[in-house]
Amino acid sequence: MNTFRKISQSCFLGATLMLTLYGCGSGSTSGNQEGSAESSHTQKLEIEKPQLTFGFIKLTDMAPLAIAKELGYFEDEGLFVTVEAQSNWKNILDRVIDGQIDGAHMLAGQPIAAGSGFGRQAALVTPFSMDLNGNGITVSNEVWAKMKPNIPADGEGKPIHPIKADALAPVIQEYKTSGKTFKMGVVFPVSTHNYELRYWLAAGGIHPGFYTADNIQGQVDAEVLLSVTPPPQMPATLEAGTIYGYCVGEPWNQQAVFKGIGVPVITNYDIWKNNPEKVFVMTKSFVEQYPNTAIAVTKALIRAGKWLDDPNNRPKAVGILSKSAYVGADSVVIANSMTGTFEYEKGDKRPSPDFNVFFRYHATYPFYSDGIWFLTQMRRWGQIPDSKPADWYSQTIREIYRPDIWSKAAALLLKEGYLEESEIPETDGFKPPTRDFIDGNSYDGKDPIGYINSFKIGNKD
Amino acid sequence: MKDKSIKSLKFIGMGFLEPLIRALSGEERKKNFGTFVKGTLFPIASIFLFITVWHFAAHALYNKEASVKIEKARAEQGEEAALEVQNCIRSGEVSCQPNTLPSPAQVWMAYQTLWKDHLDISQKKRDFNQQVAQANSKRADQGLAPIKYTGRPSFLDQIGTSLKTVAAGVILALFVAVPVGIIIGLSEVLRNSFNWLIQIFKPVSPVVWLLLVFMIVKTVVTDPNLDKSFIISFISVGLCAMWATLINTSLGVSTVDKDFINVSKVLNLSIGQNIFKIILPASFPLIFTGLRITVSVAWMVLIAIELLAQSPGLGSFVWEEFQNGANDSNAKIIVAMFIIGIIGFMLDRIMLTVQNLMTFSKA
Amino acid sequence: MALLELKNVSKSFGSGSTKVNVLSNINLAVEEGEFVAIVGFSGSGKTTLINLVNGLHFPDQGEVLLHGLPITGPGPDRGVIFQNYSLLPWLSVYNNIKLAVDEVFPKLSKMEKDLHIKKYISMVNLSHAKDKMPSALSGGMRQRVSVARALAMDPEILLMDEPLSALDALTRGTLQEEIVTIWSQNRKTAILITNDVDEGILMADRIIPLTPGPNATLGPEFKVDFERPRIVTEINKNSTYKRLRNDILEFLIEVGSTRRQFSDQKYLLPNLQPTYPGRRAFWKKNVNT
């Protein structure tokens, strides 16, 4: 009897809880389905694997995934996609390689490093580039105060942008003489942030340190010690004084301004105009096993990118991204980094219309030249330890960047009327040589060796 | 009549009302009222006291954080900025709200949001299933797996995943710890030789277990269709939690009452019968005490493990909300905290019941 | 040849300075069909003696022979009724007995077993309680189950280790009679260990006192020649009974007092039944041992 009473007691507890749960939620059962209003007229490919799971990191540039799902672009293609937040870049890479997720939002450097000998090796492919730009470099208030006198000012006394690392060099020297090492944070060893920060520093004559087989922290000969810190922890680490600056994606630069703990000095748009930032990655075996599925995924993502670059759609995009399943931050914070302005020093808001580019400038096309740029930087800083011949660069990138898949997808979209002719680049995969860098150095993807040798600081071949 | 209603109340688990009914029906009024107050009203009062303290503490923290913000603005950007921050905080705008311990009211609101969210998601799930019903029946004909709902899980789904993980982990612990416990309990030599290993592994942190399991599962499980994160998390939960059962089982087996052993010897029972008919039943009370500890440990380590293994349960809910850092994220985390606590309490109750059922009294 | 024979048996526990000689130089022969009672003070080594017979212990010196062959271990040919009943608390009365029956008669069909078990349950008058758990039974009823279990094994020898000492006087009296009645139905060989001289006289054919330990040994035997069935009230009046009782008691007291004279030295008693304090309290809240 005693035991029986206890059972029924616990049952009752459960029942009460359930009742309470039901009671307070009743009356709000209406669903709010968000789907594409326009009737779909996509031609469905024969999908080999309709049920898919994609991973992402909580950053605004995962937007194409969220949009393709929420606006029903995936379903238009006959894909049933689950989108799942992942804890960090290492984890996302491992899970794609191990097949736990079918594809993911990744740092552009990740599939390239995985195919070129740095870190965990696996055959990964990129059929879709997710966005351009979107990062910034922030320094602490103290460093900013010391830097500011070194920066030329305009008529109103405002610093002239872009700010070069030359202004930072004396500060680093000052720290050095007082016996302090100058430390800065990046989000991942093969992240765009790492290469951009290094590029910016080296362009100002500051040595960011080499990677060697023994020193995989990349701190050999370094005047600035770079360390890895996850994006959301960046502001807190800066505030704690562990690092004096960092390079990170949004909203973590604006957050520093907002909290008054640091000052963004430059965006990566000014370091390399329209640089590729995140890519969509699947394994090579997936693309080979399910070719139609890969094309269908790319189609949906291209449509999402195009939708995102319509300024009228940005508020709705912010609303979707602020859902807890996606980026989840308050919509005001997300809006701050997607509205086309960038706030440097508190109150110094400047227009930055191309800060988040999802489609314009053929942003979604995976250019070989963009990928090769990452390879040159890996070689420059020693992540690729040995000298490689020029054709190694184009061969390696052809294994990873797959514009062929993009082109098939785009051709279908063109036929279906979702794309215009002008939106498909006529290219051999290489952008024309450009000087759109902060140091004005010329980059031609077809001459990687020459590019590597053109730098003052860095490994030479 | 009175006894009958008391009996039925006890049946539905409201036995704590018994003294009240007895008192109302005039039976030993004073004593029964006293019992009722002590047994029921005091615990309820303590909950209210807790909420009150929490409420005031949250307000104090809110004010502190707000004034720090204003002071900081004043020190760094002058009086005007301070005023602006102050107004911004007063206006309740999301972007400048102090981010601190949420008050009980905020937590209650977050709970309602989560509940509404659950209803929305279940509606979407139904719509989705209707939508793909035709495609699924076609796929079934072709021998393909049906299309499953692709939206994110609701809070209740996540609770379900967590419960499933704990259940699988505990069952694993049961199947590993009980046989091993019996084997080492039967032999003093084995017990002594394993003792060190057990003492070394017992305090190992859940995170380390997870990494260890990850290394092994990654190699062993190659089928991409299997849900690896679930496998990893339930194995880790099982490994973290099984030690109490293992130790209790071996203790129970090694200390079976001499009388029962004598019975077994006199009856000349075979080893198997000895174990299953005498030793095992005789150790049940201790084994189930161990299992009860195992269940509570499993529930405790679950959050950390799910968080790291990306298993879509309460752990990843808490982590995601922490990462989101939205205005109501802290409140949602506290909702999760209470749900975790209440479920843990209920699991313990259930295990206590099972334990009592399994415990025999010799007298 | 005697059915059971103990020849110069000695048994000690421990070693070195803690060595205790419990029994020394025990000689005993039990004939088939005989009911022997061994009477002694508590702690004299009676349980050790019975354990030597049922095979839970083995002698240090001498030998224990059954049918002329040394005993190699416990076996169902010797049914034991333990002092503390030793029923398995998680099994009902029926299943406690079934466990023994399954073991001893594995070949019986299900129905035969059922009949067999029920027969012994009714023999000890427990038919109404056959599905009860031991914890729901009184001490006397539990010991009846234990008796039924021992008998259901149809043993050659029935070993009773102070079976009634934990019971109150009234229950004890009735159970004594019941056991004798059941025993007399087929007159199995029986050895009763007891600390109650009256009990021995009422039940046994022969009474052998065990001197107090350490180094306990058997004293001279006393024949009990009363006709069966013996009726307590009548025996109580009998003068032979009184004399017999006095003789045995006198012997025991005499040996006891001589023992005591040189018992100034401390004896370390063997810790025969190590128990787990927590668990015993857990299971045996009200055991009156």
Side-chain angles (χ1 to χ4, degrees):
Chain A
M1 183 57 211
N2 197 22
T3 48
F4 183 65
R5 208 184 74 213
K6 277 182 184 147
I7 301 182
S8 47
Q9 230 164 25
S10 24
C11 290
F12 174 72
L13 261 172
T16 335
L17 189 80
M18 286 304 155
L19 274 176
T20 348
L21 285 170
Y22 262 95
C24 22
S26 58
S28 52
T29 34
S30 63
N32 59 346
Q33 187 82 317
E34 261 169 285
S36 54
E38 53 195 311
S39 67
S40 133
H41 43 101
T42 49
Q43 296 174 326
K44 278 191 190 174
L45 291 160
E46 196 172 312
I47 302 299
E48 302 94 341
K49 189 169 190 251
Q51 183 102 44
L52 300 167
T53 305
F54 295 150
F56 68 93
I57 298 286
K58 287 178 177 282
L59 288 166
T60 47
D61 52 21
M62 61 73 64
L65 280 173
I67 298 303
K69 174 161 171 57
E70 290 291 320
L71 299 194
Y73 294 164
F74 281 133
E75 287 182 25
D76 286 349
E77 303 293 337
L79 300 168
F80 298 91
V81 176
T82 309
V83 179
E84 244 181 46
Q86 310 292 314
S87 55
N88 58 56
W89 293 118
K90 166 95 175 77
N91 185 281
I92 212 167
L93 180 72
D94 282 338
R95 296 194 76 192
V96 170
I97 295 175
D98 295 337
Q100 290 177 52
I101 47 182
D102 301 298
H105 159 233
M106 272 194 209
L107 295 159
Q110 281 188 299
I112 298 174
S116 65
F118 188 72
R120 189 172 174 194
Q121 294 300 293
L124 299 177
V125 300
T126 293
F128 176 81
S129 173
M130 291 182 80
D131 64 326
L132 305 181
N133 313 324
N135 298 333
I137 295 174
T138 295
V139 296
S140 70
N141 290 333
E142 190 194 344
V143 173
W144 173 246
K146 290 177 177 163
M147 255 177 98
K148 207 172 172 185
N150 308 331
I151 304 165
D154 61 11
E156 292 168 45
K158 275 185 167 182
I160 294 175
H161 279 254
I163 296 169
K164 293 193 175 182
D166 307 48
L168 182 64
V171 183
I172 293 172
Q173 200 55 45
E174 189 189 325
Y175 271 76
K176 211 174 173 183
T177 45
S178 65
K180 279 193 271 185
T181 44
F182 198 89
K183 286 179 272 188
M184 294 184 87
V186 293
V187 307
F188 201 65
V190 298
S191 73
T192 39
H193 316 90
N194 187 18
Y195 305 122
E196 283 157 9
L197 181 57
R198 281 165 178 273
Y199 198 99
W200 183 68
L201 290 170
I206 303 164
H207 200 309
F210 284 129
Y211 291 83
T212 64
D214 301 325
N215 189 321
I216 51 164
Q217 279 81 45
Q219 296 176 343
V220 176
D221 297 341
E223 288 172 275
V224 173
L225 292 187
L226 300 185
S227 57
V228 169
T229 308
Q233 269 102 295
M234 284 290 190
T237 320
L238 185 74
E239 199 173 11
T242 317
I243 52 176
Y244 305 126
Y246 53 71
C247 179
V248 75
E250 278 313 298
W252 308 114
N253 295 295
Q254 292 303 302
Q255 180 95 303
V257 186
F258 194 72
K259 285 191 171 178
I261 56 177
V263 176
V265 289
I266 189 168
T267 65
N268 61 340
Y269 179 80
D270 289 327
I271 298 173
W272 175 19
K273 194 176 155 191
N274 288 340
N275 63 93
E277 171 54 33
K278 298 291 176 345
V279 291
F280 183 76
V281 174
M282 295 184 274
T283 61
K284 192 177 179 191
S285 59
F286 182 93
V287 173
E288 278 167 2
Q289 208 178 339
Y290 312 116
N292 286 344
T293 310
I295 293 169
V297 169
T298 311
K299 276 176 78 184
L301 288 175
I302 293 172
R303 282 180 71 194
K306 186 175 176 182
W307 184 89
L308 269 165
D309 257 6
D310 182 343
N312 300 326
N313 290 335
R314 286 289 171 97
K316 193 176 177 192
V318 167
I320 291 171
L321 288 179
S322 67
K323 288 185 177 182
S324 65
Y326 301 118
V327 181
D330 290 320
S331 50
V332 274
V333 176
I334 295 176
N336 220 17
S337 65
M338 286 183 87
T339 46
T341 57
F342 194 83
E343 192 171 7
Y344 293 90
E345 210 175 351
K346 187 87 184 173
D348 183 5
K349 249 186 200 177
R350 303 188 184 209
S352 185
D354 285 346
F355 188 61
N356 278 115
V357 175
F358 291 101
F359 186 72
R360 284 168 293 138
Y361 314 118
H362 304 306
T364 59
Y365 186 93
F367 285 100
Y368 292 138
S369 51
D370 288 348
I372 289 174
W373 187 82
F374 287 102
L375 285 172
T376 62
Q377 298 303 305
M378 287 176 188
R379 174 64 197 128
R380 181 184 181 192
W381 301 120
Q383 287 178 336
I384 297 169
D386 310 311
S387 172
K388 305 275 185 195
D391 57 353
W392 177 85
Y393 287 89
S394 65
Q395 270 165 17
T396 305
I397 209 64
R398 275 170 214 272
E399 290 292 313
I400 300 160
Y401 272 45
R402 294 292 294 275
D404 57 315
I405 298 175
W406 189 94
S407 301
K408 281 179 198 159
L412 287 169
L413 287 173
L414 183 68
K415 214 165 23 170
E416 291 159 19
Y418 288 117
L419 282 188
E420 287 161 34
E421 198 99 42
S422 65
E423 288 163 339
I424 300 173
E426 269 181 55
T427 172
D428 58 351
F430 287 85
K431 284 181 182 169
T434 169
R435 287 187 178 273
D436 281 340
F437 290 88
I438 189 158
D439 55 356
N441 200 2
S442 161
Y443 168 60
D444 177 3
K446 288 178 175 165
D447 179 21
I449 308 290
Y451 185 60
I452 291 168
N453 291 335
S454 69
F455 293 112
K456 252 194 241 129
I457 301 176
N459 283 320
K460 307 269 189 303
D461 284 333
Chain B
M1 174 58 207
K2 178 184 70 193
D3 286 334
K4 209 172 169 187
S5 57
I6 287 175
K7 218 172 169 181
S8 50
L9 268 179
K10 276 186 179 173
F11 181 78
I12 58 166
M14 296 182 70
F16 60 89
L17 288 179
E18 179 187 337
L20 182 68
I21 291 175
R22 287 194 190 279
L24 288 179
S25 64
E27 186 187 319
E28 289 183 278
R29 232 161 232 262
K30 220 169 167 183
K31 185 180 148 225
N32 276 319
F33 265 125
T35 322
F36 178 69
V37 168
K38 271 186 221 148
T40 313
L41 293 187
F42 277 20
I44 291 175
S46 77
I47 292 173
F48 276 109
L49 183 69
F50 168 74
I51 292 177
T52 316
V53 170
W54 170 18
H55 175 80
F56 285 111
H59 267 265
L61 287 172
Y62 180 91
N63 290 334
K64 183 162 183 288
E65 177 114 358
S67 62
V68 165
K69 269 190 147 183
I70 295 167
E71 281 314 310
K72 194 165 181 184
R74 182 172 294 138
E76 282 168 6
Q77 294 147 51
E79 196 58 42
E80 202 179 312
L83 212 69
E84 195 185 313
V85 171
Q86 195 174 357
N87 287 336
C88 179
I89 291 173
R90 282 223 185 111
S91 71
E93 199 183 303
V94 192
S95 62
C96 50
Q97 283 308 301
N99 192 14
T100 180
L101 181 73
S103 69
Q106 283 172 310
V107 170
W108 177 244
M109 262 151 59
Y111 167 71
Q112 283 174 317
T113 316
L114 285 173
W115 179 251
K116 188 177 167 298
D117 192 48
H118 166 70
L119 295 177
D120 288 351
I121 288 175
S122 357
Q123 181 60 37
K124 275 189 197 168
K125 222 183 252 182
R126 274 195 295 277
D127 293 348
F128 181 89
N129 285 335
Q130 246 162 27
Q131 199 184 325
V132 296
Q134 210 179 350
N136 271 347
S137 65
K138 214 184 275 172
R139 282 174 71 83
D141 294 340
Q142 293 169 329
L144 295 169
I147 302 284
K148 287 190 290 272
Y149 179 63
T150 56
R152 78 199 152 89
S154 78
F155 187 60
L156 279 194
D157 296 334
Q158 284 167 319
I159 294 176
T161 310
S162 287
L163 285 173
K164 231 165 55 186
T165 312
V166 165
V170 169
I171 289 171
L172 175 80
L174 183 74
F175 279 104
V176 173
V178 171
V180 174
I182 290 173
I183 291 166
I184 64 175
L186 287 174
S187 143
E188 203 176 332
V189 181
L190 279 179
R191 201 157 57 247
N192 285 333
S193 22
F194 276 102
N195 191 28
W196 286 17
L197 273 184
I198 292 174
Q199 299 303 334
I200 290 171
F201 281 131
K202 196 174 63 163
V204 168
S205 137
V207 176
V208 180
W209 278 121
L210 175 92
L211 296 179
L212 203 80
V213 172
F214 177 74
M215 294 173 211
I216 297 167
V217 169
K218 200 180 70 177
T219 321
V220 176
V221 183
T222 45
D223 183 353
N225 291 325
L226 287 173
D227 185 355
K228 260 192 236 176
S229 57
F230 177 74
I231 297 176
I232 291 171
S233 40
F234 95 77
I235 294 180
S236 310
V237 166
L239 283 181
C240 285
M242 72 174 202
W243 303 102
T245 305
L246 178 62
I247 292 170
N248 265 26
T249 307
S250 75
L251 181 71
V253 168
S254 61
T255 56
V256 170
D257 198 312
K258 196 95 184 183
D259 291 345
F260 304 151
I261 302 286
N262 281 346
V263 171
S264 152
K265 281 189 181 158
V266 167
L267 292 179
N268 242 352
L269 294 183
S270 67
I271 293 178
Q273 274 175 316
N274 186 24
I275 291 174
F276 286 106
K277 295 210 164 145
I278 308 284
I279 289 176
L280 208 50
S283 329
F284 268 158
L286 267 178
I287 294 178
F288 276 89
T289 312
L291 268 178
R292 189 176 153 209
I293 302 172
T294 288
V295 169
S296 52
V297 171
W299 188 247
M300 235 162 67
V301 300
L302 173 87
I303 303 305
I305 283 175
E306 280 188 334
L307 185 157
L308 289 166
Q310 296 272 311
S311 185
L314 282 171
S316 48
F317 172 82
V318 170
W319 181 241
E320 271 196 24
E321 283 304 334
F322 171 71
Q323 278 202 321
N324 286 351
N327 201 35
D328 61 349
S329 288
N330 288 356
K332 283 182 182 169
I333 290 171
I334 296 204
V335 172
M337 181 188 95
F338 278 111
I339 300 277
I340 290 164
I342 289 168
I343 292 177
F345 176 63
M346 276 166 21
L347 285 179
D348 194 62
R349 270 295 138 118
I350 294 168
M351 285 311 291
L352 186 68
T353 308
V354 175
Q355 187 190 338
N356 285 343
L357 276 174
M358 285 299 163
T359 306
F360 43 81
S361 48
K362 210 176 169 187
Chain C
M1 190 184 66
L3 174 69
L4 177 77
E5 249 184 303
L6 280 78
K7 284 186 182 165
N8 298 321
V9 168
S10 296
K11 177 73 188 168
S12 62
F13 290 99
S15 61
S17 61
T18 58
K19 181 168 173 173
V20 179
N21 298 312
V22 183
L23 300 174
S24 64
N25 203 21
I26 302 274
N27 281 292
L28 175 69
V30 181
E31 300 296 330
E32 184 147 12
E34 210 182 2
F35 197 133
V36 178
I38 292 168
V39 186
F41 290 115
S42 317
S44 57
K46 299 185 300 269
T47 300
T48 309
L49 181 62
I50 208 122
N51 281 348
L52 285 170
V53 177
N54 68 25
L56 292 175
H57 292 328
F58 297 97
D60 296 339
Q61 281 157 27
E63 44 190 359
V64 184
L65 302 173
L66 187 66
H67 295 295
L69 297 170
I71 285 172
T72 55
D77 52 349
R78 283 148 286 148
V80 185
I81 300 171
F82 293 97
Q83 179 176 5
N84 44 15
Y85 330 128
S86 291
L87 299 178
L88 303 178
W90 54 89
L91 296 179
S92 67
V93 169
Y94 182 90
N95 284 328
N96 258 294
I97 297 169
K98 185 167 184 291
L99 182 71
V101 172
D102 282 343
E103 196 49 43
V104 183
F105 306 106
K107 285 184 186 147
L108 286 186
S109 73
K110 227 175 170 181
M111 229 168 66
E112 284 169 320
K113 273 185 198 167
D114 184 57
L115 284 174
H116 188 85
I117 296 163
K118 283 189 178 147
K119 177 175 128 195
Y120 284 92
I121 292 179
S122 71
M123 199 183 267
V124 294
N125 297 322
L126 279 179
S127 297
H128 60 286
K130 83 176 167 56
D131 293 321
K132 286 201 173 145
M133 302 304 275
S135 55
L137 302 178
S138 69
M141 288 162 94
R142 280 186 224 178
Q143 194 54 291
R144 283 193 193 136
V145 180
S146 187
V147 169
R149 179 173 66 185
L151 293 173
M153 290 159 69
D154 201 14
E156 261 183 290
I157 305 179
L158 192 58
L159 301 171
M160 289 169 276
D161 182 8
E162 299 199 46
L164 308 176
S165 59
L167 301 175
D168 62 281
L170 273 174
T171 320
R172 200 169 171 162
T174 35
L175 258 174
Q176 283 166 354
E177 274 177 36
E178 270 181 44
I179 291 177
V180 173
T181 317
I182 294 166
W183 169 79
S184 45
Q185 285 172 10
N186 43 18
R187 296 227 168 202
K188 290 271 148 108
T189 314
I191 299 177
L192 170 74
I193 300 268
T194 180
N195 55 12
D196 181 351
V197 178
D198 293 335
E199 188 172 283
I201 297 175
L202 184 70
M203 296 172 79
D205 297 328
R206 251 194 315 158
I207 295 180
I208 305 165
L210 185 67
T211 64
N215 285 317
T217 190
L218 293 176
E221 65 166 53
F222 297 83
K223 287 260 183 222
V224 187
D225 284 332
F226 299 109
E227 283 295 310
R228 293 179 191 272
R230 298 166 183 167
I231 294 150
V232 190
T233 42
E234 284 180 20
I235 287 182
N236 272 343
K237 293 174 200 151
N238 193 313
S239 58
T240 338
Y241 158 74
K242 284 179 184 161
R243 210 181 54 242
L244 183 62
R245 184 170 182 269
N246 284 341
D247 287 350
I248 300 171
L249 279 175
E250 249 169 52
F251 174 81
L252 283 170
I253 291 164
E254 197 181 316
V255 213
S257 60
T258 47
R259 287 279 170 188
R260 233 168 275 134
Q261 277 165 12
F262 54 90
S263 67
D264 295 338
Q265 67 188 97
K266 272 196 174 170
Y267 295 112
L268 288 161
L269 289 177
N271 189 11
L272 292 184
Q273 284 189 314
T275 53
Y276 222 81
R279 274 161 55 86
R280 283 187 86 90
F282 193 47
W283 285 346
K284 303 183 177 179
K285 273 181 201 142
N286 304 321
V287 169
N288 354 313
T289 40

